[in-house]
Amino acid sequence: MNEIDRLWEFLQRLTPLSRSCLLSELERLELCGIDMPGSADILARLRAEFRKDGSNQARATNPSRYFFAPLELLLMDGAPEHANAGRISRNTLTPIWEWICRDLLPTMARDYTKAINDQVAANNPKETLKIAATFQTKVVKVLENTLASADGTELARSKLAQYTASRTAFDDVRKMLHVLRAGDALPKFNEKLPEKIAKFDDGQVAKITAQLDAFRKSHANALPFALALVARRLKTSWELVRLATKGATSKSATDVAATPYACAVHMVLDRLDDKRLALRIALRHNRVLVARDLLAEIYDLEYALKVRIDGIEQSEWGIRLQQLMNAIAELVAAEVSRFPANVGHILGSRRLRSHDSLGGKLSYLAWKGRDVVQDGAAVFRKLIGQT
């Protein structure tokens, strides 16, 4: 019996929930780019046990799946350490659920699990949803009491750390609390959105902004999640920025930062980081054509931010943007350097930066010209108001 077999024999003595938690943790490390000798074989065996469909992504078991159902549209499959305002990492659900079951509400969680399994077996979906909603309310109340004090918060954080080494899992607990507090407000907001927003023009921006205004009056803490639901409908992720820039008195970074939806800029930068991670994975697996398309999207996103927010380079957003672009440049340079200098690499093509073409530069000048007119009109309106 080799070491992997001995390790697997030991893992079989653990509860299924513990093995599922281990699977999530190994996948988290994999997404973070941390290679562990022998982990590939253990991962394959754990996935075979918990993912009969061969999926590489974590899926909650029945009781927890019903509990986490309100989060479904907000889940992302990236590493938990990755910034994701308005979204929750799917890989943190298993450790959070184990923490709830073992530490936060062990007796109630046990009763809930039995009740859910009984109703699922009886094919009673309405009662199943009712039981899940009741347990969600109980968890919200306990979390509110727990997090009301510094000592309670620290204890909860240390207990959760026993199930995952992720530094941001506790942030996902807070996010979960905000989503559950919002109740059916988020689903109702989601239902009112168009299925797809092919063109996020001024009319659509005004309509969505009105819906967001109404939502944030009652659920300000859940606003990033409402924005995330809007982002799902957009053709390109950078368009979310228009919710911030359209409501600003000018296109300056300072004025954009003063709007109620300034966090949309942070969320777009999160999407840029998504693409950075996807680029790294594509290059690791020699998927050059996928990497090419990702890089073109990255350059377009960078360009859009710089065009639509004046002085972004000197802002907090600009600093983060530059850090991301530097990291992306390092990935591209490392890939291109694998080939002789006299051999062109597709990732080094200037065509990927479409805005560097004559058409792109004319579009840039047109945008800036329009901004000057709009900013001048805004100043004029301010002067009239003051007089």
Side-chain angles (χ1 to χ4, degrees):
M1 181 182 295
N2 60 32
E3 291 183 3
I4 297 297
D5 289 334
R6 284 196 294 271
L7 178 57
W8 183 249
E9 183 180 2
F10 166 76
L11 293 178
Q12 293 303 298
R13 302 172 192 167
L14 303 178
T15 64
L17 188 58
S18 295
R19 290 198 299 278
S20 178
C21 192
L22 174 62
L23 172 57
S24 294
E25 189 68 4
L26 289 175
E27 288 180 331
R28 181 186 70 82
L29 294 173
E30 184 180 48
L31 287 168
C32 291
I34 300 174
D35 296 320
M36 297 180 63
S39 64
D41 191 44
I42 294 297
L43 263 174
R45 296 189 189 195
L46 289 170
R47 283 169 175 162
E49 178 181 0
F50 293 101
R51 319 265 174 78
K52 303 303 181 183
D53 60 353
S55 171
N56 283 345
Q57 298 299 339
R59 291 295 182 269
T61 55
N62 271 342
S64 61
R65 180 162 57 86
Y66 286 108
F67 176 81
F68 289 125
L71 279 58
E72 186 60 39
L73 290 176
L74 304 168
L75 296 178
M76 58 169 289
D77 294 320
E81 282 73 9
H82 174 54
N84 44 65
R87 296 179 294 169
I88 296 172
S89 173
R90 191 183 297 274
N91 278 351
T92 63
L93 298 189
T94 299
I96 288 174
W97 181 246
E98 187 158 1
W99 169 64
I100 291 172
C101 292
R102 293 190 178 187
D103 298 297
L104 193 68
L105 285 170
T107 302
M108 289 184 181
R110 194 159 49 245
D111 293 341
Y112 162 78
T113 298
K114 183 181 184 305
I116 284 288
N117 288 335
D118 288 346
Q119 295 305 321
V120 169
N123 192 26
N124 192 345
K126 288 186 178 180
E127 188 62 23
T128 300
L129 294 177
K130 182 179 177 182
I131 292 170
T134 300
F135 189 57
Q136 288 161 4
T137 301
K138 292 177 180 177
V139 170
V140 166
K141 289 181 179 178
V142 172
L143 278 176
E144 286 176 341
N145 291 332
T146 300
L147 304 183
S149 68
D151 289 343
T153 299
E154 187 55 36
L155 179 61
R157 191 189 297 274
S158 63
K159 288 289 186 180
L160 181 60
Q162 295 176 13
Y163 307 109
T164 176
S166 170
R167 298 184 302 276
T168 57
F170 192 72
D171 292 337
D172 282 346
V173 170
R174 291 187 182 278
K175 292 178 186 179
M176 178 187 76
L177 178 58
H178 291 318
V179 173
L180 295 181
R181 270 178 177 165
D184 60 358
L186 278 168
K188 287 181 178 179
F189 175 83
N190 188 55
E191 289 172 3
K192 293 178 182 178
L193 294 175
E195 186 174 344
K196 290 290 182 183
I197 303 177
K199 188 176 181 182
F200 205 35
D201 55 17
D202 289 352
Q204 279 284 14
V205 171
K207 183 178 179 180
I208 297 298
T209 298
Q211 291 176 250
L212 286 166
D213 287 344
F215 179 85
R216 70 184 178 89
K217 284 180 181 178
S218 303
H219 306 285
N221 288 333
L223 178 61
F225 306 106
L227 288 170
L229 293 175
V230 174
R232 290 170 60 93
R233 267 62 172 199
L234 299 177
K235 186 176 180 181
T236 54
S237 59
W238 66 259
E239 290 180 303
L240 194 66
V241 167
R242 298 206 66 213
L243 291 168
T245 58
K246 188 64 178 176
T249 55
S250 77
K251 290 294 192 297
S252 75
T254 301
D255 287 339
V256 174
T259 65
Y261 304 112
C263 61
V265 183
H266 283 293
M267 296 175 74
V268 169
L269 289 169
D270 292 345
R271 269 59 174 185
L272 176 58
D273 205 4
D274 288 345
K275 296 183 187 300
R276 176 188 65 82
L277 292 172
L279 177 65
R280 186 185 69 187
I281 293 171
L283 292 175
R284 178 181 295 177
H285 296 286
N286 293 317
R287 297 171 183 163
V288 180
L289 294 181
V290 173
R292 176 201 62 188
D293 293 342
L294 283 168
L295 196 56
E297 292 173 9
I298 286 169
Y299 290 150
D300 287 346
L301 197 157
E302 176 197 24
Y303 171 68
L305 286 174
K306 289 183 174 180
V307 166
R308 285 161 177 79
I309 303 178
D310 289 342
I312 189 174
E313 292 84 359
Q314 288 74 45
S315 69
E316 179 186 344
W317 298 324
I319 293 171
R320 186 182 175 200
L321 174 62
Q322 191 58 55
Q323 289 172 342
L324 289 171
M325 295 308 299
N326 288 344
I328 290 164
E330 289 179 10
L331 289 174
V332 174
E335 169 65 17
V336 172
S337 68
R338 297 196 302 116
F339 294 80
N342 61 339
V343 176
H345 194 290
I346 193 171
L347 297 189
S349 172
R350 289 179 59 85
R351 294 180 181 178
L352 295 179
R353 290 185 178 271
S354 59
H355 50 275
D356 280 345
S357 65
L358 177 60
K361 291 177 179 178
L362 290 175
S363 296
Y364 176 85
L365 292 174
W367 271 103
K368 286 302 179 184
R370 192 185 77 167
D371 290 347
V372 168
V373 172
Q374 290 180 339
D375 291 351
V379 171
F380 183 66
R381 285 194 297 270
K382 280 184 180 180
L383 290 174
I384 292 177
Q386 290 173 355
T387 57

